[in-house]
Amino acid sequence: HCSCSSRSFKKMFRMKVTPSTVFAGEMYIRQFMSPSSHRCISTTSLRLAEAAADTAAAAVTPPEKKKPIKPDFYVPRAERGNRDVFYVDALMGEARLLRNDRMCPTRELNFTPEKWGAHKSPFRRLRHIANTFRSSPFQRMMVPDFVGVGGVAAALTYYNECIASSDAAMLSMSISGFAGATTAIGLLAGFRLNASYGRYEECRIFWGDINNTIRDLAGETMMWMKDADQRSRMLKLCKVFPVSHMFHLHAKGCHHNIKRTSGEASFEDRVHAEFQAELRDIYSDGKDEIDFERLSAIKYKGGNTPLEVLTCMRETIAGSIGTVDGIYVREMDEQCQRLCAAFGASERVLRTPLPTSFTRHSSRLMFVWSHVMPFALYPVMGPYGTLPTALLTTYAVGGIEDIGVQLEEPFDILPLRQYSDGMFDAISAIEKNYTPYEIGASRSGGK
């Protein structure tokens, strides 16, 4: 407690208080409790009391619920009909996903016999030449590759033709020495492409294994699980696994048109809304809501959703012991092991790129080679042929290297959404068409 005069009280509150101000003691406020007494309390005590009151109010007040986010891209199967849910670019001659900007790679769709016919057409070269300026390598290399090489070639031509006073003052280099470097760069780009294609092929094999295993597991579920609830839960989990695996491997869940900076909601929340929409399409019958909430929560927290699906599968298999023969239980668990192996192999490819030192070194060599090329071409091609020849050669060799870089991440190229939809349809067909054969029963169902 302290007593202070009214004058000193007013003087104290006229002080300018800044974060750097240091008080030797505490600042006190006089509180008049009665006309005859003067009692002061510390402002620190007041602030502590206010903080305690705010904390108590926050504990009583329930947290504000977030407004649900509506998915922008996923279309439920009940609303599709004959509608094509993929944005297809058919102008390139072969159906592929529409690229929403020039930086996107080429994303193919599943081939059919008709598409194979167009792919092997004798007129394919004319079609491909006509679509050169719309191709992914060309558009991706426009900036900075073509701009940089074209700028160097144009500046070199201007200097040699307009500024250099004699042939000795012109800038150029030997074409024979540069030819050896070009051969080495071509081999380097080819090796880069082959290494990336190996990863691409490996991931396609993984998804083929997942497709085969899911079909086997669905068929075994229909054959051996007698409890209807267990059977229904297991089939739903078979449908969920490729969806959760796809969202685990691709940041956008293969909804390639989702923009990271768009709308009020965060990118993660919008992706989660798409995941929940697909999950709700599987759990549309209102049953197994615990699984729906469980998997949604794992995904929202950034957990390993495919691993959680496998855990739910094994819980279902373990729960069937007693109604399903032990040999069949072991067989279904082996299918889960196959799914887990393919899942782990996919994570290995996702998390382990080609050695980044090799990628950086090849990128540096490609940059230096392409920007030095005009100096070697000028003595042979002259002022009119240097620029187009440099651009064409850069496109030929640099395009191979760029395709290799894109193939290095196969999960951004492969049509994973088509694979997932195909597994959903296969499981639904097995569930709908499976009918146990009974000896002695006629095809019409009579005795």
Side-chain angles (χ1 to χ4, degrees):
H1 297 277
C2 73
S3 61
C4 56
S5 64
S6 175
R7 182 177 179 182
S8 61
F9 179 81
K10 294 179 181 179
K11 182 179 180 181
M12 181 170 51
F13 274 86
R14 285 197 299 265
M15 293 173 60
K16 183 178 180 182
V17 181
T18 64
S20 61
T21 305
V22 179
F23 292 95
E26 290 182 334
M27 184 174 65
Y28 290 87
I29 301 176
R30 179 181 298 173
Q31 182 179 14
F32 297 92
M33 303 299 296
S34 65
S36 59
S37 65
H38 301 286
R39 187 178 179 186
C40 299
I41 61 174
S42 169
T43 56
T44 303
S45 302
L46 288 176
R47 291 168 182 167
L48 290 174
E50 291 176 358
D54 293 340
T55 304
V60 176
T61 306
E64 183 180 357
K65 293 184 178 181
K66 289 186 177 181
K67 184 179 179 181
I69 303 173
K70 183 179 179 181
D72 295 325
F73 297 95
Y74 183 74
V75 181
R77 285 170 173 79
E79 302 176 9
R80 293 182 185 180
N82 296 326
R83 172 182 173 184
D84 191 356
V85 296
F86 298 102
Y87 299 94
V88 178
D89 181 9
L91 296 178
M92 298 293 290
E94 295 137 2
R96 62 195 67 187
L97 288 179
L98 186 66
R99 297 167 56 242
N100 54 359
D101 61 66
R102 73 173 188 87
M103 302 299 293
C104 290
T106 299
R107 300 184 176 101
E108 304 287 354
L109 295 173
N110 286 337
F111 264 43
T112 62
E114 293 77 12
K115 292 179 182 178
W116 276 112
H119 183 72
K120 298 183 295 183
S121 170
F123 299 97
R124 63 187 183 279
R125 293 184 181 88
L126 297 178
R127 184 177 67 244
H128 296 160
I129 287 296
N131 292 321
T132 298
F133 300 111
R134 300 182 69 251
S135 65
S136 171
F138 184 90
Q139 293 187 354
R140 286 175 51 83
M141 294 180 65
M142 283 193 300
V143 180
D145 296 273
F146 292 162
V147 172
V149 174
V152 171
L156 176 66
T157 301
Y158 176 78
Y159 174 82
N160 287 344
E161 294 297 319
C162 302
I163 298 178
S165 57
S166 62
D167 293 344
M170 290 185 178
L171 298 176
S172 62
M173 64 181 298
S174 171
I175 185 64
S176 58
F178 190 79
T182 302
T183 303
I185 290 294
L187 293 175
L188 181 66
F191 174 79
R192 183 74 165 79
L193 179 60
N194 288 335
S196 298
Y197 179 75
R199 295 166 57 87
Y200 178 88
E201 183 182 23
E202 192 177 12
C203 291
R204 181 62 187 93
I205 293 174
F206 296 156
W207 274 85
D209 290 341
I210 292 174
N211 186 26
N212 297 336
T213 306
I214 285 291
R215 292 176 180 178
D216 289 343
L217 187 57
E220 292 170 358
T221 299
M222 294 299 298
M223 285 192 300
W224 300 329
M225 282 194 173
K226 306 302 180 183
D227 186 82
D229 292 336
Q230 290 180 343
R231 186 166 58 243
S232 175
R233 184 193 186 197
M234 193 67 178
L235 292 176
K236 290 174 185 175
L237 291 172
C238 288
K239 295 177 181 178
V240 171
F241 182 81
V243 174
S244 63
H245 192 32
M246 174 177 58
F247 274 87
H248 185 73
L249 297 175
H250 196 274
K252 298 181 178 181
C254 291
H255 291 292
H256 302 288
N257 292 320
I258 295 181
K259 296 183 179 180
R260 292 186 174 270
T261 56
S262 176
E264 298 179 357
S266 65
F267 171 75
E268 291 77 11
D269 287 344
R270 286 182 284 121
V271 172
H272 184 69
E274 300 292 340
F275 175 76
Q276 276 196 313
E278 295 201 45
L279 216 60
R280 176 53 65 191
D281 202 13
I282 296 172
Y283 290 94
S284 57
D285 58 357
K287 299 179 181 179
D288 299 307
E289 286 296 309
I290 295 179
D291 287 350
F292 174 82
E293 297 294 339
R294 176 179 175 179
L295 297 175
S296 296
I298 293 293
K299 173 62 180 174
Y300 186 77
K301 295 176 182 178
N304 197 321
T305 317
L307 191 60
E308 191 70 17
V309 175
L310 289 173
T311 302
C312 293
M313 286 182 174
R314 283 177 163 142
E315 290 174 357
T316 308
I317 294 172
S320 67
I321 296 176
T323 59
V324 178
D325 189 274
I327 297 177
Y328 301 148
V329 169
R330 180 179 178 182
E331 178 66 24
M332 286 190 288
D333 183 65
E334 288 179 356
Q335 302 293 1
C336 291
Q337 293 177 26
R338 290 175 60 190
L339 290 177
C340 190
F343 165 58
S346 299
E347 281 191 319
R348 171 175 55 81
V349 174
L350 175 68
R351 296 172 180 174
T352 311
L354 293 177
T356 55
S357 58
F358 170 73
T359 301
R360 291 192 296 268
H361 184 66
S362 61
S363 179
R364 296 186 191 109
L365 291 180
M366 192 72 64
F367 180 87
V368 173
W369 167 80
S370 60
H371 286 74
V372 172
M373 188 192 327
F375 294 90
L377 292 177
Y378 187 83
V380 180
M381 305 305 298
Y384 299 105
T386 299
L387 176 59
T389 305
L391 291 177
L392 182 61
T393 308
T394 300
Y395 172 69
V397 180
I400 296 175
E401 192 263 350
D402 185 74
I403 292 173
V405 171
Q406 296 306 310
L407 289 179
E408 187 180 359
E409 186 190 1
F411 305 116
D412 194 36
I413 305 292
L414 291 168
L416 303 186
R417 184 157 295 280
Q418 274 195 316
Y419 301 160
S420 177
D421 286 352
M423 294 181 213
F424 184 101
D425 295 338
I427 296 168
S428 298
I430 292 172
E431 182 180 13
K432 178 181 178 181
N433 300 329
Y434 178 80
T435 304
Y437 178 76
E438 297 181 6
I439 299 176
S442 64
R443 294 182 179 272
S444 60
K447 294 183 179 180

